[in-house]
Amino acid sequence: MSSMNILSIQSHVTFGHVGNSAAVFPLQRIGHEVWPVHTVNFSNHTGYGDWGGPLVSADDVTSIIDGIGRRGVFEDIDAIVSGYQGGPDIAGAIVDAVARIKEVNPNALYACDPVMGNEKSGCFVSDEIPPLLRDKVVPVADIISPNQFELGYLTGKKVGTLEETLDAIKAAQAIGPRVVLVTSVQRPETEEGSIEMIAADGDDAYIVKTPHLPFKRNGSGDVTTALFAGHYTETRDASVALGRTASSVFDLLQKTFEAGTEELQLVQSQEYFANPRLQFEVTKL
């Protein structure tokens, strides 16, 4: 297994696991070097309704990227990962960083989780973020990991059946990214008590089905994006990346569900990251 250098530009929380506090450790545990750049420095995720700590300005994010650049290591970066983008200026700083890194290393991959909202709660980011993601960020990404709701927004297409979902994936690829991972897929044909993920790489698409656990935990999407990006960057195989990611994330969620904790059992689940059980079959579509 080869170790990659992954630059992860995301939020940071001291207590709990979202953003970089969800992404960094799993990536390290599967054997990659992670260079975190924090976009906020909060006590906890905002879902608690109360938190302390500052937003990191886009200028400060860029200043950190500049400092990394002065070490002459842009060419060593294999992948850049980003998630929730708090403000429009942060999106600009990320897109700028991606452009500068790719200029030095055209093989570097940019994996973007276009966080906007979900089916149940609708959009939960500020109004200016979704169009910005669609028009500025997603076009420069190599990998995106939207849920069904976000895929529908990005492409302006109805996403329900398998056919509609694959059609929307094609439309998303036309915007820029070659690889599209659709998380939390529930379509009319999905078996009761199941949930699916679909990964497409160019013309090839793969699906995996796992049991659906009846609860939500902040940060699980961040872990999913990070693991998929790490595995894909290493193997360049969407099927392998999908199988490993689905296995690890299911076991993480099951462990958290059984523990009944508010936060992901991230450290307790580390063995599932390092050695995914591969208990779910990946099927080519």
Side-chain angles (χ1 to χ4, degrees):
M1 155 163 176
S2 50
S3 178
M4 303 281 146
N5 296 316
I6 298 174
L7 180 74
S8 182
I9 310 176
Q10 301 196 56
S11 54
H12 167 79
V13 295
T14 300
F15 170 79
H17 301 292
V18 300
N20 271 337
S21 308
V24 172
F25 175 65
L27 283 170
Q28 290 170 330
R29 197 63 185 81
I30 64 173
H32 300 315
E33 275 289 347
V34 189
W35 307 355
V37 177
H38 301 326
T39 55
V40 310
N41 188 7
F42 286 170
S43 55
N44 50 268
H45 74 68
T46 57
Y48 287 99
D50 167 76
W51 64 94
L55 292 158
V56 178
S57 73
D59 288 345
D60 284 341
V61 169
T62 298
S63 168
I64 293 166
I65 302 290
D66 290 342
I68 298 169
R70 291 195 296 274
R71 302 288 71 76
V73 291
F74 277 0
E75 63 190 352
D76 300 328
I77 294 173
D78 297 292
I80 304 118
V81 175
S82 76
Y84 169 71
Q85 300 181 6
D89 51 344
I90 289 284
I94 293 170
V95 169
D96 178 57
V98 169
R100 289 163 63 191
I101 291 159
K102 279 177 172 266
E103 203 173 325
V104 181
N105 177 11
N107 292 326
L109 296 175
Y110 171 36
C112 165
D113 183 2
V115 180
M116 298 177 212
N118 55 49
E119 217 59 73
K120 281 210 172 70
S121 46
C123 248
F124 50 59
V125 297
S126 78
D127 291 348
E128 50 213 336
I129 296 288
L132 189 73
L133 284 169
R134 183 189 60 209
D135 303 335
K136 294 274 194 298
V137 183
V138 170
V140 300
D142 301 288
I143 302 169
I144 58 169
S145 51
N147 57 34
Q148 273 181 304
F149 172 83
E150 291 158 344
L151 179 64
Y153 178 88
L154 287 171
T155 59
K157 290 188 172 291
K158 183 170 177 284
V159 180
T161 64
L162 182 60
E163 205 169 315
E164 286 169 340
T165 305
L166 292 173
D167 190 40
I169 286 171
K170 279 268 171 274
Q173 288 172 322
I175 301 174
R178 177 185 167 81
V179 178
V180 178
L181 172 69
V182 190
T183 60
S184 315
V185 174
Q186 291 199 290
R187 51 199 178 95
E189 313 86 357
T190 309
E191 273 175 48
E192 187 72 28
S194 294
I195 194 158
E196 296 164 320
M197 280 203 290
I198 296 174
D201 183 355
D203 293 331
D204 297 326
Y206 307 90
I207 191 165
V208 66
K209 179 176 73 179
T210 68
H212 184 229
L213 298 165
F215 81 132
K216 275 257 185 286
R217 283 297 176 268
N218 291 67
S220 55
D222 302 325
V223 176
T224 304
T225 296
L227 286 175
F228 184 84
H231 288 309
Y232 184 84
T233 302
E234 186 197 343
T235 64
R236 301 288 166 133
D237 185 325
S239 167
V240 168
L242 180 63
R244 289 179 183 174
T245 302
S247 171
S248 299
V249 172
F250 175 77
D251 283 334
L252 164 67
L253 286 173
Q254 188 170 43
K255 200 164 188 67
T256 305
F257 183 65
E258 286 167 359
T261 51
E262 281 300 307
E263 293 285 349
L264 292 173
Q265 294 275 296
L266 197 78
V267 175
Q268 298 82 350
S269 302
Q270 58 181 294
E271 193 50 39
Y272 301 131
F273 306 141
N275 299 297
R277 294 189 296 151
L278 302 179
Q279 66 274 47
F280 305 113
E281 191 187 350
V282 174
T283 310
K284 191 163 193 231
L285 289 168

